[in-house]
Each structure stands twice: as structure tokens, then as C-alpha cells.
Amino acid sequence: MARTSAGHETRERLLRAAEELFATRGVAASLTKDIVRLAGQSNPSAVQYHFGSREGLLDAIMAARQERTERALAPRLPTLAEQDLPGLLDALVTAEATELRTEQGRRCLRISAQISHNSGVRTRTPHPTLAGGGYWRLITLVEQRISGLPEPIRLERLDLALTLIGAALADRAQQYLTGSTPLTDEETFLADLVAVSAAMLSAPTPSRSTS
């Protein structure tokens, strides 16, 4: 039992250290040896032992972050199919924004914004952390609301909108982490993010220049 408890504690230390470094230095610039050192571990193979690889550690962080978002989204799932585009985006943004409430969540927003291209939206192949969840169902419903757009534009625009939302929340998270004073209160910020995202997604298809 003691060994199991110690292993759980080591795993948690590695997760917290990785969250800190991925959020502050960036995912690409954070070395495994630095994560191990910050976690207070003497075994250089600790990440490999507990997570299989550095990528496995990152996936574990994002899976836990997605579980929290799924729980926040759950109360709105029964009515999602009835929502228009702004309503769906409000559900998405509101669920994502719950991460702003804690320091861990703020760090995770900083991390997920760096890897938003891995979501699988453009190919309709969800990342394993998104597959089968309410969040992916929500993304699918958002796409349905803009079904009048040509498919390539629709998928690209949806991916870009999600990237915008992630970047905006990551920026807000950084302001909270550094103690900066945002220009707007959180309610206004989130409402504006929904409005901007809806406008981006529902914009008409551009006409080709004839010049």
C-alpha cells in the first residue's frame, strides 16, 4: 500500500511540475530532465516509468483538463441540440472558462492553446481525449449550424474559431497568473468572445477576386 501511495504521489508531482513548465516555458521548450528535477525526483526515467513518454505525460495533463471541462459542460448537454450557433458557443466558452477559476486550470489553458492543432477538427478525427465526449458532440453541432458553407471553408473556419477561443482564454489565464488587470470584467470578456466567434463562423463565403 505504501508503495502504491508513493507511486501516486510521484505521479502527481510530475504532473504538477510539467503543468508549470509547459505553461511558463512552452511545451516544445520544456525538457523531460527539467520536469523530473522540478518534481524533486532523482530517477531520470521517472516520466517514462509513470507515463511511458513525455508525450504520454502531456496527454495525461490534457485528459484531466478535458475531464473537468466535460463535467462543467454536462448540465447543458440535454439542451444542446436545441441551441442556435451563439447558444452552442456560449456553452463551449462557459465550460472552457471554468478553468480560469484555479491556478492549475489557468496553466492548463496556457498549455492547451499551444496544441490546439491536435484536436482533429479539420479531419473529423478527434484526439483521444476528445473522442466520445460531450465536447466533441458540441463541436459537431457547431459545424451543423454553419452547414451552408463549403466543407473546406467550414472545417478550416471551425478549427480557427476554436484556436481563437483557446488563445483568448489562455491570454486571460496569463493575466490572472501574473496579477495583471484585464481591460474588461470576465462576464463581458466571455460574452464578447462568444459574439466574435459566432460572427467569424457565420460570415459569408468570400467571393474570389477577378482582378
Side-chain angles (χ1 to χ4, degrees):
M1 181 65 69
R3 181 177 299 176
T4 301
S5 177
H8 175 75
E9 182 178 349
T10 299
R11 180 182 172 89
E12 289 301 307
R13 286 179 179 271
L14 289 167
L15 286 168
R16 300 294 85 77
E19 286 170 357
E20 180 177 341
L21 290 179
F22 288 159
T24 55
R25 294 186 185 177
V27 172
S30 298
L31 303 179
T32 301
K33 65 178 182 180
D34 294 330
I35 295 171
V36 172
R37 184 184 303 115
L38 183 60
Q41 302 304 304
S42 57
N43 182 357
S45 300
V47 168
Q48 284 72 21
Y49 177 80
H50 288 279
F51 300 97
S53 65
R54 180 178 172 279
E55 289 70 28
L57 174 56
L58 176 60
D59 284 346
I61 291 172
M62 289 295 95
R65 175 235 192 280
Q66 190 59 35
E67 286 178 9
R68 296 192 298 270
T69 302
E70 291 283 352
R71 287 197 298 270
L73 181 61
R76 300 186 68 166
L77 288 179
T79 62
L80 284 184
E82 306 165 7
Q83 299 295 316
D84 59 9
L85 180 60
L88 291 172
L89 291 171
D90 179 72
L92 188 150
V93 168
T94 300
E96 291 269 27
T98 57
E99 288 290 277
L100 289 170
R101 298 173 184 171
T102 66
E103 183 171 343
Q104 180 187 20
R106 294 165 189 169
R107 287 175 173 171
C108 285
L109 285 171
R110 296 287 300 167
I111 298 167
S112 57
Q114 301 173 53
I115 57 173
S116 62
H117 59 281
N118 292 338
S119 66
V121 168
R122 296 192 184 211
T123 60
R124 293 201 183 91
T125 306
H127 187 275
T129 59
L130 299 177
Y135 191 86
W136 190 259
R137 177 186 166 205
L138 176 53
I139 290 174
T140 301
L141 289 170
V142 170
E143 185 191 349
Q144 291 175 6
R145 298 300 182 272
I146 56 172
S147 59
L149 296 171
E151 184 178 46
I153 291 180
R154 184 168 71 244
L155 292 175
E156 185 170 63
R157 197 179 286 188
L158 178 57
D159 192 44
L160 291 173
L162 292 172
T163 299
L164 168 66
I165 291 169
L169 289 170
D171 180 69
R172 190 78 173 197
Q174 180 67 5
Q175 292 178 63
Y176 289 173
L177 287 168
T178 59
S180 302
T181 302
L183 291 173
T184 59
D185 62 84
E186 190 169 300
E187 182 178 0
T188 301
F189 164 71
L190 296 178
D192 190 55
L193 183 54
V194 168
V196 170
S197 302
M200 175 182 178
L201 287 168
S202 58
T205 304
S207 57
R208 293 179 180 271
S209 174
T210 58
S211 59

